[in-house]
Amino acid sequence: MSFKPFNPPSRTLMGPGPSDVHPQVLQALAKPTVGHLDPTFIAMMDEVKALLQYAFQTDNPFTIAVSAPGSAGMETCFVNLMEPGEKVIVCRNGVFGERMRQNVERLGGEAIVVDDAWGTPVSVDKVAAALQQHPDAKFLAFVHAETSTGALSDAKALCALAQQHECLSIVDAVTSLGGVELRVDDWGIDAIYSGSQKCLSCVPGISPVSFSPKAVAKLEARQTPVPSWFLDQTLVMGYWSGTGKRSYHHTAPVNSLYALHESLRLLHEEGLENAWARHDRMHQKLKAGLEKLGLRFVVEQAHRLPQLNAVYLPQGVDDAEVRGQLLNRFNLEIGAGLGDLAGKAWRIGLMGYAAREENVTLCLGALEEVLS
Ligand SMILES: Cc1ncc(COP(=O)(O)O)c(C=O)c1O
């Protein structure tokens, strides 16, 4: 038996992620691998840190890239900051809030769940009530941009509430980072994680994470050891901290970090606010076209994510058939509905390099043809 090299088709990725990777990021990925303690690589990691601080809008010294996807970023926050028996207010308005709850419970924490309907943002009023009812809660955890529904929650208001109640906030920014306004320091976010494969236009597999000094102090004051060796940030800090102090923890995904560096460099070159505005412009254009096709949005305009457009399937349309035709005839991937929205909605992503005029035009034209 012989095996041929794998030649993937050239798709346009307009689903919930991974999204289109910028060609310069793909080129960066193919550069020669160096040792992960090579001085040139360490200098590049310092730039990755600085660029992540820019993307997150934070001065947090503890800002790093976890060598694993967004789910590992989520676990990094819970395994390092929470201890068994601690109470966490967990907001659940889609798939990823539920995953946060599972993290809390698997680690022996007590999850106080604040539920909101799929397609709606986290209710600030309900969270305020939960915090009042549970003055012993140590954390407030929520998803800024719920990829399963396309709803954007008010991270600024939620983090302000957490601060009033002396809770640390844990924020999922996997889909929001680079796509919508996000200001870690101004909003007082304590722990945040993201993913490389969405609005950063990078390949999947890396999770940017940042902890505020308060979160780092909580980690340093733990009474119990961090229950994961790989994600224990007290061990990883030695790998990401200042020049000359690097020590081996694990073998970093060298080429993926080249890719992340290039994607963050491109974001910096474009300007964060320009990137947010571009996502919004492309969303407006896509929205006008989708509405012309008679498609109805799942989320109300005021809480809609520009980078994740969830629309209900028209009556009588076969979900898999349409997505199959888009893929096979147009090389275009859009996302299926998840959880409660499975078979009922499509999720059309406009994330990072995918948020471009030509993608919007391709998607609207292809959908029009397939639906007719
Ligand atoms: C909001 C949110 N959180 C967490 C994750 C998990 O990220 P990953 O699939 O990179 O592990 C995703 C992935 O789609 C997500 O959209």
Side-chain angles (χ1 to χ4, degrees), residues 16 69-72 74 96 99 143 145 147 172 174-175 193 197-198:
S71 306
M74 185 188 284
F96 296 99
R99 287 201 187 168
V143 179
T147 328
D172 178 317
V174 171
T175 284
Y193 59 91
Q197 77 275 28
K198 311 251 184 183

Side-chain angles (χ1 to χ4, degrees), residues 55-295:
F56 276 133
Q57 292 288 284
T58 183
D59 290 330
N60 287 342
F62 186 86
T63 301
I64 63 155
V66 172
S67 304
S71 306
M74 185 188 284
E75 294 213 20
T76 295
C77 293
F78 289 104
V79 298
N80 284 280
L81 302 179
M82 197 200 77
E83 291 199 70
E86 289 184 333
K87 236 184 214 183
V88 185
I89 311 275
V90 181
C91 306
R92 182 170 61 180
N93 61 337
V95 164
F96 296 99
E98 164 57 15
R99 287 201 187 168
M100 283 179 147
R101 183 197 66 78
Q102 290 178 22
N103 266 267
V104 170
E105 294 195 346
R106 280 181 183 234
L107 293 165
E110 186 184 344
I112 307 295
V113 179
V114 174
D115 268 316
D116 279 292
W118 281 52
T120 65
V122 171
S123 156
V124 176
D125 290 344
K126 282 191 200 171
V127 170
L131 284 164
Q132 209 127 45
Q133 220 184 320
H134 299 276
D136 53 339
K138 293 273 192 286
F139 302 93
L140 169 66
F142 66 91
V143 179
H144 186 206
E146 205 11 290
T147 328
S148 57
T149 66
L152 176 67
S153 290
D154 187 345
K156 185 180 179 182
L158 292 167
C159 291
L161 271 179
Q163 279 190 329
Q164 275 168 31
H165 291 264
E166 293 182 10
C167 269
L168 294 180
S169 50
I170 297 181
V171 180
D172 178 317
V174 171
T175 284
S176 58
L177 183 66
V180 283
E181 184 178 16
L182 171 63
R183 300 181 187 278
V184 168
D185 286 359
D186 288 356
W187 297 354
I189 294 173
D190 290 300
I192 190 161
Y193 59 91
S194 188
S196 47
Q197 77 275 28
K198 311 251 184 183
C199 298
L200 297 183
S201 318
C202 188
V203 291
I206 303 277
S207 178
V209 169
S210 185
F211 286 178
S212 71
K214 265 200 283 178
V216 173
K218 174 83 169 73
L219 166 59
E220 287 173 347
R222 284 185 72 96
Q223 303 296 305
T224 55
V226 174
S228 158
W229 182 88
F230 182 66
L231 297 176
D232 181 345
Q233 296 305 299
T234 60
L235 304 176
V236 177
M237 275 175 195
Y239 188 55
W240 276 91
S241 64
T243 327
K245 284 194 272 169
R246 304 304 165 99
S247 55
Y248 168 69
H249 174 263
H250 65 278
T251 308
V254 171
N255 293 56
S256 294
L257 286 172
Y258 299 166
L260 182 66
H261 178 272
E262 181 62 11
S263 70
L264 292 168
R265 202 190 62 74
L266 288 165
L267 179 65
H268 185 261
E269 198 171 76
E270 178 179 15
L272 199 49
E273 293 185 358
N274 293 333
W276 299 339
R278 171 171 52 84
H279 283 87
D280 190 54
R281 262 196 329 275
M282 293 306 113
H283 161 71
Q284 297 301 340
K285 205 172 150 118
L286 181 72
K287 173 190 152 222
L290 292 173
E291 285 176 348
K292 238 192 225 162
L293 292 174
L295 297 171

Side-chain angles (χ1 to χ4, degrees), residues 344-356:
K344 297 186 197 147
W346 290 314
R347 291 177 302 149
I348 305 178
L350 285 170
M351 298 182 180
Y353 187 62
R356 306 201 305 291

